[in-house]
Amino acid sequence: MQVYIEPIGRLINEFTKLPGVGAKTAQRYAYKVVNMTEEEAKNFAESILDAKRKVHYCKICGNFSEGEICEICKNRTAETICVVKEPKDCVAIEKLAEFNGVYHVLHGTISPLNGVGPSDIRIRELLERIKAGGVKEIILATNPDVEGEATAMYISGLIKPLGIKVTRLASGISIGTDLEYADEVTLARAFVDRKPM
Ligand code: ZN
């Protein structure tokens, strides 16, 4: 028996594709959409398409960008590069207003168990940026979990021989916590107290 009429069933199905949205929440979201005005529903749908059309990855750092090069890469010098796993980590660090350098988004961490090797994340691109010159420090800000640590160790091993200062966020963020969930005071302290690797 079909519980929902087709358009509602379809909408619920779409919402369940979002992270953390189960069947009940998806149903609540779908009913909310059905009760929106035509205008509200149009804005909602258009914002999804707009984000999809306009958001790209910055050619230099790999963070989200509207243009080919993001505003951070355009406006800051690349003397210090903060290496993170995902674009959302840049947001967590930008919120601290503590960092004036640029980012490098790896889009993943090394994870042999999941079949992710060094060549599957943006390590080669990081080395190219360093070879282009002018970089004085690389801050490894991958998450303090097993994969994040392994990735930091691997990158450090590649970069240190090039004579560039490599630092790692100080401990204080509990093991297994994503950067985005670390509280701002803890993250800011980890940043200021970063240690040479
Ligand atoms: Zn950029």
Side-chain angles (χ1 to χ4, degrees):
M1 192 191 82
Q2 214 177 347
V3 187
Y4 301 104
I5 57 171
E6 196 274 334
I8 292 179
R10 185 181 166 199
L11 198 50
I12 290 173
N13 186 45
E14 291 304 319
F15 279 124
T16 56
K17 292 175 183 171
L18 298 174
V21 177
K24 272 194 173 168
T25 305
Q27 181 193 310
R28 254 178 44 229
Y29 287 173
Y31 287 176
K32 176 72 190 171
V33 169
V34 169
N35 286 318
M36 282 178 180
T37 63
E38 181 87 26
E39 178 77 11
E40 284 169 336
K42 197 164 159 269
N43 279 336
F44 190 67
E46 277 177 354
S47 71
I48 293 175
L49 289 174
D50 205 44
K52 201 53 220 159
R53 284 192 207 106
K54 290 184 185 164
V55 179
H56 310 282
Y57 291 122
C58 169
K59 272 192 157 179
I60 298 173
C61 69
N63 196 2
F64 290 135
S65 175
E66 271 198 80
E68 279 210 333
I69 311 293
C70 76
E71 292 303 309
I72 291 176
C73 285
K74 262 188 215 165
N75 296 309
R76 298 185 192 172
T77 54
E79 277 185 10
T80 307
I81 301 180
C82 180
V83 178
V84 296
K85 180 185 178 190
E86 298 170 275
K88 62 184 177 191
D89 299 327
C90 301
V91 176
I93 294 169
E94 280 301 292
K95 276 187 190 162
L96 308 176
E98 197 74 57
F99 180 63
N100 297 315
V102 294
Y103 294 93
H104 188 86
V105 184
L106 294 169
H107 289 282
T109 36
I110 297 170
S111 173
L113 284 180
N114 296 310
V116 183
S119 59
D120 297 315
I121 59 176
R122 300 179 67 252
I123 292 177
R124 186 168 32 87
E125 289 87 342
L126 176 63
L127 295 176
E128 278 164 15
R129 287 178 79 179
I130 292 168
K131 278 174 192 155
V135 180
K136 290 184 177 152
E137 181 183 352
I138 296 289
I139 303 171
L140 296 170
T142 48
N143 295 327
D145 52 19
V146 176
E147 292 170 1
E149 293 296 347
T151 305
M153 289 294 286
Y154 181 85
I155 295 175
S156 169
L158 292 175
I159 294 172
K160 271 210 299 206
L162 304 174
I164 287 164
K165 185 177 172 192
V166 181
T167 53
R168 177 93 176 105
L169 292 197
S171 48
I173 304 170
S174 30
I175 304 296
T177 307
D178 275 12
L179 283 194
E180 63 166 330
Y181 299 124
D183 71 272
E184 290 189 11
V185 177
T186 307
L187 186 54
R189 197 179 304 136
F191 219 89
V192 174
D193 293 344
R194 59 187 188 265
K195 301 276 185 298
M197 276 192 84

